[in-house]
Amino acid sequence: MRYGHFDNSMKEYVIDRPDVPVSWTNYLGTEDTGTVISHNAGGYMFSGDPETHRITRFRPNGVPLDRPGHYVYIRDNSDGDYWSISWQPVGKDLTKASYRTRHGLSYSVFECDYKGIHASQKLFIPRGRKCEIWDVILRNDGTSERRLSLFGYCEFSFNIIEIDNQNFQMSMYCSGSRYADGVIECDNFYNPGMFHYFTSTFEPEGFDCVRDSFIGVYHTESNPIGVEKGVLSSSTELGNNQCGALSTGLVLAPGESKRFVFILGVGDLMAGKEEKAYFSSTSNVDKAFDELCSYWNAKIETLQIKTPNSDMDIMLNTWNLYQSETNVVFSRFASFIEVGGRTGLGYRDTAQDAMCVVASNPSQCRKRIIQLLRGLTSSGYGLHLFSPEVFDPDVPKTEPFKSPTVKPMPEPSSMVHGLKDTCSDDALWLVPSICEFIRETGDLSFLDQRFGYADGGEGTVLEHMERILEFSARQVGKSGICLGLRADWNDCINLGGGESALVSFLHYWATDEFIGLLAKSGHADRIGHFTEMKAKIKEACERELWDGEWYIRGITKSGRKIGTAADEEGKVHLESNSWAVCSGLADGEHARKAVEAIDKYLYGEWGIHLNAPSYSKPDDEIGFVTRVYRGIKENGAIFSHPNPWAWVAAAKLGMGDLAMRFYNSLCPARQNDRIEVRQSEPYTYCQFVMGRDHSAYGRARHPWLTGSAGWAYFAATHYILGIRPDYDGLVIDPCIPASWDGFEADRVFRGRKIHIRVTNPHHIQKGRPVFFSLDELEGGNLNVEMKN
Ligand code: GLC
């Protein structure tokens, strides 16, 4: 069953049936102000930090889905009938009204045709501004004049989400509203200076600032009393629940169109008036939208491909890049799953996100890398989840609030946790991310820049990297394998004083990457030490972790190996077997068998399972994974994030057919016609897909903000298509299905526009890597024939 299609020329996903099984969301905003919006215009807006600077309210996991939102209602004044431009919240009969949602790159358009009126509402956040534009057009497609009213509506939130959800003593009495000159101002009175506004470029005939006056008691957003009656009540109040509701009447002659713009933003009445004046010239609205499109076009141009796999083209040319960029901007903190309580940066997630889109967003990746360098302790471990502002000397530290009920800015020292709360993998991801940043940008001078450590002192970037590797070298258990600590990449495998195969493989990878960097950056004298470190890791891994047919996952504190042939549950694990190969540690038969085990035990039609068979009995020596239902999340679901690791592993071994089969199984675009099973958006990777041990096998959950986005993009572009930046040039090293005749790509690398043409006349899966120096790239055209 399908609900929509990809419009590749517009780079949009078009939903033509709005009754999709779950909310299909999009992200507006490319800087710090953002909105998460569903295909039914439900969602919320925030600026900077969605935990402490929420603008509009959202009732997560609610019934009905995604309420409230950023809604526009239309009322036919001849008979009192009314509807919303998005299908919800009014929810007209779909046999009488037709709706379309177009999710594009940082904008969404809702369209509706009902009773001869065509209406559209385009939402976007202009670059460089802290406001959201609602660009509304109404057209009379009928033959008679129409007398209509138009209403824009949003519900304001108290700015601190915890208070908004739990402490009505504060939220309801410390915020208020006023109206003047066509602007509604919502005052978060408790936080002096924090205001939000809702305004329009037309002069409103009616307004409401109090939610319950607009909606009406025992009414909902589906039938607000203000729209039902056709008149608003000019409500304002100091205290109570605030909203923005503005209305106007209009007459549309047959064939006539009219345009109306609403603006929702950060700032007080004056700020609202300024934006109202600015956007009253619709050419400024168009200009702002064009700027947004140019911003995205520049990103999209960094890599465009044309391959025999059209779904791969759709994902890599647009959607996968878009999702990865969204992750590097909004991290994990704003979605319909994370609704404001989990802000700050997760160390490992951020390090991985920043590795994957350096080509399209070097400045944001650099910013994230610096934040992580400052979140590293002097002993070499990263703070698992931290607020980067706390460690940024350029961010002014606010004075403690007078009220004891508002969280003051934490003292940096209170955020530095000890070893007990350290995840063993966190900082290891940063080393290859920095290497990748330098390979893409060529900026070796970055290594000499100095940054503070979270617990005091400072060092160069290179020194930070050394400390990370030394930390893991020290933190090993009896067998010489890295300790599991609180968790490794898998939050739910909690080996504590036991040992993690995954972390030792990551340590090997990071050390190997670092050695490559030392060689290029004039630090050859340090190579010997790290080469010894690498050899020691390899020796321990091969001695302790090979099980005969695959690599084990770890060793518990009491010395029990997990992920062995003798295990009935959790026999084979994806993380250790993919990373044995990705890291370059495993070779020959062990490498091949590890990938074969992934294929034999973990692969399924919806992707690769994280482990199998899933656990059915709680076992705290292994961890929380054993307390999750079978086939869900880390317990034997198809956890998307590590899937691309298996693509990299297969590609490294030259198994192009297998890499593509793995790729295709998880590819969202390929599931566009199977929504009755997948349920979630077919244009983003989801955190996980229910595994075969669950009755809902194939159902995808938690879209958008997941490490799978970056990794899918990185693995497919760098290892399947094999287009990899190197310190002094570009490597072309594809590993593709034997049936492919080749492919083409346009890549921007260090300011050069390069056209790459790969041919595969001998129908092999992998040839010899070809290196092009910067001089060779000057020509702009690269022809690579795959050969052994
Ligand atoms: C979630 C976390 C990520 C972790 C993964 C596996 O996606 O954000 O940090 O690695 O789960 O547990």
Side-chain angles (χ1 to χ4, degrees):
M1 191 182 284
R2 62 187 292 175
Y3 289 83
H5 64 275
F6 291 92
D7 179 341
N8 296 327
S9 62
M10 297 293 290
K11 303 212 174 293
E12 290 175 346
Y13 187 85
V14 183
I15 299 161
D16 29 42
R17 270 193 64 175
D19 56 339
V20 301
V22 294
S23 310
W24 285 10
T25 47
N26 194 17
Y27 280 78
L28 315 179
T30 51
E31 294 154 309
D32 67 339
T33 301
T35 297
V36 198
I37 198 88
S38 81
H39 66 290
N40 274 319
Y44 61 91
M45 184 178 179
F46 58 91
S47 188
D49 178 353
E51 188 176 1
T52 57
H53 197 163
R54 184 65 69 89
I55 300 168
T56 51
R57 190 172 269 166
F58 188 60
R59 287 182 272 282
N61 198 17
V63 177
L65 279 180
D66 18 287
R67 299 275 177 101
H70 298 183
Y71 299 135
V72 173
Y73 299 88
I74 300 167
R75 183 177 193 273
D76 185 341
N77 291 332
S78 68
D79 60 3
D81 192 12
Y82 60 88
W83 61 103
S84 43
I85 300 182
S86 43
W87 177 47
Q88 295 294 326
V90 176
K92 282 285 181 201
D93 181 343
L94 290 175
T95 60
K96 302 202 171 90
S98 71
Y99 297 87
R100 213 167 306 109
T101 302
R102 290 163 30 211
H103 281 323
L105 298 170
S106 301
Y107 69 90
S108 287
V109 184
F110 306 95
E111 291 175 348
C112 161
D113 287 280
Y114 180 61
K115 281 191 165 170
I117 299 292
H118 175 80
S120 70
Q121 174 193 3
K122 177 161 76 183
L123 300 186
F124 69 99
I125 295 179
R127 301 244 332 128
R129 303 183 103 87
K130 291 185 187 300
C131 65
E132 183 184 277
I133 301 289
W134 307 8
D135 187 359
V136 175
I137 296 174
L138 261 51
R139 189 182 67 219
N140 182 354
D141 285 343
T143 49
S144 54
E145 182 184 88
R146 302 292 291 275
R147 292 181 173 271
L148 307 171
S149 290
L150 183 76
F151 305 79
Y153 172 74
C154 63
E155 183 175 337
F156 284 112
S157 170
F158 191 73
N159 68 295
I160 300 169
I161 200 63
E162 198 183 336
I163 291 176
D164 196 61
N165 285 337
Q166 295 166 10
N167 187 349
F168 304 129
Q169 295 208 63
M170 293 254 324
S171 62
M172 302 249 310
Y173 307 114
C174 301
S175 68
S177 52
R178 64 176 169 143
Y179 174 88
D181 304 325
V183 183
I184 287 173
E185 178 192 78
C186 172
D187 177 6
N188 285 280
F189 185 60
Y190 191 83
N191 298 279
M194 182 172 286
F195 299 93
H196 300 131
Y197 64 83
F198 187 56
T199 185
S200 57
T201 55
F202 56 87
E203 293 315 316
E205 287 171 11
F207 72 89
D208 264 315
C209 304
V210 178
R211 181 194 67 186
D212 299 340
S213 304
F214 177 77
I215 298 282
V217 186
Y218 300 114
H219 284 242
T220 70
E221 295 91 1
S222 303
N223 59 351
I225 195 96
V227 179
E228 204 170 272
K229 289 190 171 156
V231 268
L232 302 188
S233 57
S234 310
S235 58
T236 67
E237 197 173 317
L238 301 183
N240 218 335
N241 286 299
Q242 314 304 322
C243 78
L246 296 170
S247 71
T248 186
L250 64 139
V251 178
L252 278 183
E256 192 186 7
S257 293
K258 282 190 177 154
R259 189 170 177 185
F260 305 85
V261 176
F262 296 91
I263 310 157
L264 169 63
V266 179
D268 61 6
L269 203 87
M270 278 312 294
K273 276 166 80 167
E274 277 165 27
E275 294 299 55
K276 177 181 169 74
Y278 180 75
F279 286 112
S280 286
S281 156
T282 46
S283 63
N284 285 337
V285 177
D286 295 337
K287 192 166 137 235
F289 187 67
D290 289 348
E291 278 167 11
L292 182 67
C293 295
S294 309
Y295 169 82
W296 275 110
N297 286 341
K299 290 200 178 300
I300 295 280
E301 268 179 15
T302 41
L303 180 68
Q304 285 294 290
I305 59 160
K306 196 165 182 328
T307 75
N309 184 341
S310 57
D311 293 313
M312 186 181 208
D313 292 358
I314 288 174
M315 292 310 297
L316 295 184
N317 287 339
T318 307
W319 294 93
N320 193 180
L321 175 70
Y322 179 36
Q323 188 183 358
S324 310
E325 282 273 345
T326 304
N327 276 261
V328 92
V329 174
F330 295 121
S331 187
R332 300 293 177 276
F333 49 63
S335 65
F336 283 9
I337 314 298
E338 301 290 353
V339 281
R342 180 188 174 189
T343 52
L345 298 180
Y347 208 97
R348 73 162 81 93
D349 289 342
T350 307
Q352 292 170 81
D353 292 347
M355 183 183 75
C356 300
V357 286
V358 186
S360 59
N361 206 340
S363 58
Q364 181 69 9
C365 292
R366 186 172 189 280
K367 174 176 152 189
R368 291 293 189 222
I369 287 171
I370 291 173
Q371 288 170 330
L372 294 174
L373 288 164
R374 291 185 174 131
L376 189 79
T377 60
S378 55
S379 31
Y381 63 87
L383 301 181
H384 185 64
L385 185 62
F386 69 103
S387 304
E389 314 79 50
V390 175
F391 302 101
D392 184 344
D394 297 331
V395 173
K397 306 292 173 270
T398 45
E399 288 299 310
F401 283 89
K402 288 196 187 74
S403 163
T405 54
V406 171
K407 266 195 228 162
M409 182 89 156
E411 283 296 319
S413 57
S414 71
M415 294 188 67
V416 178
H417 60 68
L419 201 57
K420 184 166 79 49
D421 291 314
T422 298
C423 289
S424 47
D425 66 316
D426 271 338
L428 284 173
W429 300 100
L430 185 60
V431 175
S433 294
I434 294 172
C435 296
E436 179 66 13
F437 175 76
I438 295 174
R439 276 192 292 257
E440 183 65 45
T441 60
D443 183 7
L444 276 168
S445 69
F446 183 59
L447 292 177
D448 300 324
Q449 291 195 21
R450 298 181 75 79
F451 296 100
Y453 291 104
D455 53 346
E458 61 163 43
T460 63
V461 172
L462 201 78
E463 282 159 5
H464 279 71
M465 295 168 89
E466 285 189 341
R467 288 191 188 204
I468 294 170
L469 298 175
E470 297 293 355
F471 174 81
S472 294
R474 282 195 306 276
Q475 292 295 322
V476 292
K478 286 194 287 288
S479 322
I481 300 300
C482 288
L483 290 172
L485 304 182
R486 181 176 164 202
D488 56 26
W489 167 87
N490 188 326
D491 281 334
C492 305
I493 295 223
N494 315 111
L495 293 168
E499 292 157 61
S500 163
L502 170 64
V503 180
S504 277
F505 292 137
L506 292 177
H507 189 204
Y508 183 89
W509 175 53
T511 310
D512 186 51
E513 287 274 285
F514 190 61
I515 291 170
L517 181 67
L518 290 174
K520 290 289 170 188
S521 60
H523 296 91
D525 55 313
R526 309 288 294 131
I527 292 180
H529 171 72
F530 288 99
T531 307
E532 268 172 42
M533 186 183 277
K534 205 177 118 181
K536 216 166 146 191
I537 307 170
K538 178 159 174 144
E539 191 270 319
C541 288
E542 285 297 6
R543 187 184 65 230
E544 301 293 335
L545 305 176
W546 181 247
D547 189 56
E549 293 295 314
W550 58 79
Y551 287 94
I552 65 166
R553 179 63 176 82
I555 305 168
T556 66
K557 194 174 176 191
S558 69
R560 183 159 53 105
K561 292 191 167 179
I562 61 168
T564 71
D567 284 318
E568 278 178 18
E569 296 182 345
K571 204 188 220 356
V572 183
H573 292 253
L574 176 56
E575 303 101 308
S576 47
N577 285 293
S578 55
W579 270 104
V581 183
C582 291
S583 64
L585 185 143
D587 40 35
E589 197 194 338
H590 285 188
R592 187 178 44 79
K593 282 191 159 179
V595 171
E596 281 170 5
I598 293 174
D599 189 24
K600 180 168 169 195
Y601 293 95
L602 304 177
Y603 169 77
E605 59 165 323
W606 296 93
I608 304 171
H609 294 74
L610 188 54
N611 47 55
S614 50
Y615 292 100
S616 64
K617 296 177 271 302
D619 182 340
D620 290 338
E621 258 206 354
I622 298 175
F624 174 54
V625 64
T626 60
R627 292 175 182 270
V628 178
Y629 282 122
R630 304 187 65 179
I632 301 183
K633 286 185 60 93
E634 282 89 337
N635 190 14
I638 295 149
F639 209 89
S640 304
H641 181 151
N643 266 245
W645 302 343
W647 317 344
V648 175
K652 281 200 156 187
L653 300 185
M655 302 158 102
D657 287 327
L658 185 68
M660 192 58 69
R661 176 153 58 80
F662 285 170
Y663 178 87
N664 283 340
S665 63
L666 193 74
C667 182
R670 284 180 84 86
Q671 297 170 4
N672 191 44
D673 298 343
R674 295 203 282 173
I675 299 303
E676 69 281 12
V677 183
R678 177 183 169 85
Q679 294 196 344
S680 292
E681 299 91 320
Y683 47 86
T684 82
Y685 286 95
C686 285
Q687 187 202 49
F688 70 99
V689 179
M690 302 283 209
R692 61 187 165 218
D693 292 343
H694 193 278
S695 54
Y697 182 35
R699 181 197 293 163
R701 281 291 180 267
H702 302 186
W704 281 102
L705 302 184
T706 130
S708 45
W711 266 104
Y713 189 74
F714 185 81
T717 56
H718 284 47
Y719 287 91
I720 295 181
L721 301 178
I723 305 170
R724 289 198 292 273
D726 207 343
Y727 294 106
D728 331 293
L730 204 56
V731 175
I732 310 293
D733 180 24
C735 181
I736 56 178
S739 60
W740 281 22
D741 292 325
F743 65 88
E744 294 188 45
D746 287 293
R747 172 75 150 86
V748 179
F749 180 63
R750 300 201 199 161
R752 298 163 178 81
K753 285 193 173 174
I754 299 155
H755 182 73
I756 303 163
R757 188 160 162 267
V758 172
T759 50
N760 188 17
H762 313 293
H763 288 279
I764 55 178
Q765 298 179 49
K766 188 179 179 111
R768 279 196 303 270
V770 187
F771 173 77
F772 294 92
S773 68
L774 290 175
D775 285 343
E776 286 167 316
L777 295 177
E778 285 303 332
N781 277 313
L782 309 184
N783 287 306
V784 175
E785 183 185 306
M786 289 172 67
K787 49 181 177 243
N788 288 315

